[in-house]
Amino acid sequence: MANLADLQDAGVSHNQNIRKKVLLSPNTIDHLVYLSHAVFPPGETAETHHHQDMTEIFYISSGSAQVTVDGKNFECPTGSCIAIEPHEQHRLSNTSNDDLVILYLGLHA
């Protein structure tokens, strides 16, 4: 069991100003890379990147994001969910004046 209040936070590899807490780490469930909770302060961006062997699923729990996938922009308000397939170039930006809070899941492809 994990509780957000009890977890240490760390910067994400794409931007240390974006803080994450890992709820489920690798090897706790088959095919799981992680289940994490991240907070993007206003104006922060996880720069363009891709994964060779992982699908990511992002759920916007509060705030609003612009998610760019292979050059196409998606406006993602609170309650939105988007899946990113392996090899897709993607970038996430907080486009609001409030914190962007995302729950995201990584799965081995």
Side-chain angles (χ1 to χ4, degrees), residues 37-63:
H37 174 273
V39 178
F40 290 55
E44 292 296 334
T45 297
E47 292 299 336
T48 303
H49 63 284
H50 73 280
H51 305 283
Q52 296 292 329
D53 60 354
M54 180 174 67
T55 296
E56 282 186 305
I57 300 167
F58 298 99
Y59 172 74
I60 311 303
S61 61
S62 70

Side-chain angles (χ1 to χ4, degrees), residues 3-106:
N3 185 302
L4 278 177
D6 300 330
L7 298 173
Q8 295 276 331
D9 73 341
V12 300
S13 60
H14 311 295
N15 180 335
Q16 292 296 305
N17 292 326
I18 300 167
R19 308 305 291 176
K20 73 174 177 181
K21 293 183 177 187
V22 177
L23 293 159
L24 293 173
S25 34
N27 302 317
T28 52
I29 298 172
D30 285 346
H31 309 292
L32 178 71
V33 177
Y34 55 74
L35 173 63
S36 296
H37 174 273
V39 178
F40 290 55
E44 292 296 334
T45 297
E47 292 299 336
T48 303
H49 63 284
H50 73 280
H51 305 283
Q52 296 292 329
D53 60 354
M54 180 174 67
T55 296
E56 282 186 305
I57 300 167
F58 298 99
Y59 172 74
I60 311 303
S61 61
S62 70
S64 99
Q66 181 179 69
V67 180
T68 304
V69 181
D70 288 340
K72 184 174 180 184
N73 292 327
F74 298 89
E75 297 303 322
C76 298
T78 298
S80 298
C81 185
I82 188 168
I84 311 297
E85 296 294 333
H87 305 286
E88 288 183 322
Q89 296 285 329
H90 57 285
R91 175 180 192 243
L92 286 84
S93 299
N94 182 349
T95 56
S96 72
N97 293 323
D98 299 312
D99 283 347
L100 167 64
V101 181
I102 295 178
L103 186 65
Y104 63 108
L105 176 68

